[in-house]
Amino acid sequence: MKAASTVWRIGAIALATWALAACVSVAPPPSFAEPPPAWRDAPGAGLAVQRDWWRSYNDPVLSALVERALADNTDLRLAAARVAEARALLDAQGAVRWPTLDVSVSAQRARSVGAATGRANLSSVTQPQFQAAYEVDLWGRLEALTDAARANLLASETAADSVRLSVAAAVASAYLGLRVSDARLEIAQRTLASREGARKVAQRRFDTGYSSRLELSQAEAEYRATAQVVPQLQLAIRRQEDALSVLLGRVPDAVPRGRALSEIAAPALPSAGLPSQLLRRRPDIAQGEAQIAAADANLAAARAQLLPSLRLTGTLGSLESSLLHGDPIRLWSVGGSVLAPLFNGGRLRAQVQAGAARRDQAVLGYRKTVLTAFAEVEDALAAIRYLHEQRDQAERQRIALSEALRIAHNRYNEGYASYLEELDAQRNLFNAELTVVQLQGDALTAEVNLYKALGGGWDGVER
């Protein structure tokens, strides 16, 4: 009768705890971002983005640099270590769902006084014992924690894929920027040589009395202004080489060059597809989805923590003592325990609310990632369109300024114009040539950004 009463009490406690847990409610998650119906600057039909998209630039050195960075980059190695950590945590959490088995051995040597004889007794006691324990997952708490660990592993793997894409795009952009600086330096050095020739001519004309000191000073000033540009570009090249070396996972050193900027093939624009398809083409979006799944599973585990838990235990061992005669005494026990939280100062409820807040953070982070992805694609498409138009206009301006310089030079030689007109034409042409090269590199970099924004050929299968 007493046993039945105890069972009823335990059942009542469990029912009351379940009722209290059912009263804990959490707010619904925030809404997700809806994709736009279409891109504003969608290109025509194109090829699908390949995982090795950098090869489409047809520069073997660029391809070699990207592949080296994918093998040796420090950020990628760090991401791989995080994946290994998440995999180990998943294995550890999965092991919690299995019974535990421990073994213990105790030994004791004692000298005591016998209560009946009053004499000293020496005794040796040995007690080996096996202990088994198992938590019954009544409410799915352990399963939810395992699901959370599995989702965290997926988030780590997709994060590594996102780092891989970022590293490849960073190396390609850095290399293209380096080739732009090389081309600008070549223009500056060629212009400096031309300025040097003009300065010598002005010096001879001044020495022979055909020109004033003003023209000589103007030629000297123009030469020095161009000479300042050369070390500026050389410093920029050195810094770009150092930054690229860091991406390659090596100490700063000279970077090999491949094709000239004018010879780097502009790849055909990839197919942007529909905006809704972007949600399955980017690893950072997949990472956000995995983080939401992990947060939901952790929230479910926190809510299950409010409910009673059942733990089964068992022991099997033996007792061998020098005071006993015959075989060792076999010992065993089987039992169970129910742990139902009654009062903990609101700690468990607070953990549920914290889990709900982390779930909301994951959803809002996912929403921001999606919106950022849409914006990056739109920006890359618009940049490609308008940079090409700007480059075409700059090239036409360069041609016009080149003709203007020719005319100004002839007018100056024939005495119809001052040297100042030729200097202005030289400055304008020099700036226009630098601008054309910069816009050409910016257009190539915009295409790199488009490949990155579209996911770089990531399909979620290969890791």
Side-chain angles (χ1 to χ4, degrees):
M1 193 71 177
K2 186 180 291 187
S5 176
T6 302
V7 172
W8 278 107
R9 289 177 182 175
I10 294 176
I13 292 174
L15 182 61
T17 306
W18 177 83
L20 289 175
C23 295
V24 179
S25 59
V26 295
S31 60
F32 292 92
E34 291 292 334
W39 305 114
R40 288 185 293 176
D41 294 286
L47 300 176
V49 181
Q50 302 298 321
R51 288 182 66 89
D52 56 350
W53 50 268
W54 51 85
R55 293 184 179 275
S56 59
Y57 286 87
N58 197 27
D59 189 333
V61 174
L62 170 59
S63 300
L65 291 176
V66 172
E67 289 165 5
R68 176 171 179 176
L70 295 180
D72 298 335
N73 181 265
T74 305
D75 290 335
L76 276 174
R77 291 186 174 184
L78 181 60
R82 288 173 179 159
V83 171
E85 177 189 8
R87 185 174 290 109
L89 291 176
L90 174 59
D91 294 339
Q93 183 58 49
V96 174
R97 303 179 63 184
W98 291 87
T100 60
L101 181 61
D102 302 308
V103 61
S104 64
V105 179
S106 62
Q108 183 179 7
R109 176 73 171 172
R111 187 172 185 268
S112 60
V113 177
T117 63
R119 297 179 179 179
N121 295 323
L122 291 175
S123 62
S124 299
V125 178
T126 304
Q127 186 176 358
Q129 184 174 266
F130 289 94
Q131 299 174 342
Y134 177 67
E135 180 178 351
V136 181
D137 195 14
L138 294 175
W139 318 107
R141 183 180 69 88
L142 299 180
E143 182 179 2
L145 291 176
T146 302
D147 292 340
R150 187 177 296 107
N152 285 328
L153 173 59
L154 179 59
S156 298
E157 291 175 339
T158 51
D161 290 340
S162 182
V163 173
R164 179 182 184 275
L165 175 59
S166 297
V167 168
V171 171
S173 297
Y175 178 79
L176 292 174
L178 183 61
R179 300 306 285 142
V180 168
S181 296
D182 290 338
R184 287 167 63 90
L185 178 60
E186 182 181 351
I187 293 173
Q189 290 174 336
R190 185 176 67 247
T191 303
L192 182 62
S194 176
R195 299 287 191 275
E196 173 66 16
R199 186 181 66 164
K200 291 180 179 179
V201 171
Q203 183 68 51
R204 288 196 301 268
R205 290 171 63 90
F206 172 74
D207 293 340
T208 56
Y210 284 101
S211 65
S212 66
R213 181 173 291 277
L214 175 61
E215 291 185 359
L216 176 61
S217 299
Q218 289 173 333
E220 178 71 20
E222 193 66 19
Y223 170 80
R224 298 302 175 185
T226 307
Q228 295 179 36
V229 177
V230 173
Q232 292 176 0
L233 292 173
Q234 290 173 333
L235 177 59
I237 290 173
R238 179 63 62 86
R239 288 175 173 172
Q240 288 171 326
E241 286 183 328
D242 294 344
L244 190 52
S245 296
V246 173
L247 289 172
L248 298 176
R250 69 182 191 187
V251 296
D253 196 2
V255 176
R257 308 299 203 268
R259 298 182 182 275
L261 181 67
S262 58
E263 298 175 352
I264 296 178
L269 290 182
S271 174
L274 296 175
S276 58
Q277 296 174 337
L278 188 67
L279 302 180
R280 292 294 177 265
R281 296 170 64 171
R282 287 181 51 132
D284 56 344
I285 294 180
Q287 178 188 359
E289 293 177 350
Q291 290 172 340
I292 293 176
D296 282 337
N298 283 322
L299 176 59
R303 300 189 71 172
Q305 190 73 24
L306 294 168
L307 302 174
S309 61
L310 174 61
R311 186 175 181 83
L312 305 177
T313 59
T315 60
L316 176 63
S318 64
L319 177 64
E320 182 177 356
S321 174
S322 60
L323 300 179
L324 302 176
H325 301 284
D327 295 332
I329 300 176
R330 303 296 180 185
L331 304 176
W332 60 270
S333 68
V334 176
S337 62
V338 176
L339 177 63
L342 294 180
F343 177 77
N344 47 59
R347 176 176 59 86
L348 297 181
R349 289 170 177 258
Q351 289 178 352
V352 172
Q353 298 300 330
R358 285 190 290 268
R359 185 272 317 274
D360 292 346
Q361 293 174 35
V363 174
L364 292 173
Y366 173 80
R367 178 183 176 87
K368 180 180 178 181
T369 300
V370 171
L371 293 176
T372 301
F374 292 148
E376 288 177 350
V377 175
E378 291 282 14
D379 290 347
L381 291 172
I384 291 173
R385 173 184 174 183
Y386 294 118
L387 283 172
H388 279 82
E389 293 180 3
Q390 190 176 356
R391 183 192 60 187
D392 293 341
Q393 295 298 329
E395 176 61 23
R396 294 175 183 176
Q397 181 191 27
R398 186 196 66 79
I399 295 173
L401 289 174
S402 178
E403 178 65 14
L405 176 59
R406 185 188 66 82
I407 296 174
H409 180 72
N410 292 336
R411 285 171 56 83
Y412 170 70
N413 287 338
E414 295 173 2
Y416 292 106
S418 67
Y419 185 59
L420 184 59
E421 289 187 5
E422 183 175 355
L423 286 179
D424 288 338
Q426 289 175 353
R427 295 191 198 103
N428 293 334
L429 178 59
F430 179 52
N431 293 330
E433 289 177 336
L434 294 179
T435 300
V436 168
V437 170
Q438 186 63 56
L439 289 173
Q440 185 176 359
D442 290 345
L444 292 172
T445 303
E447 294 175 359
V448 172
N449 294 334
L450 178 59
Y451 279 108
K452 179 185 176 184
L454 293 177
W458 181 82
D459 54 14
V461 177
E462 297 185 15
R463 300 247 196 266

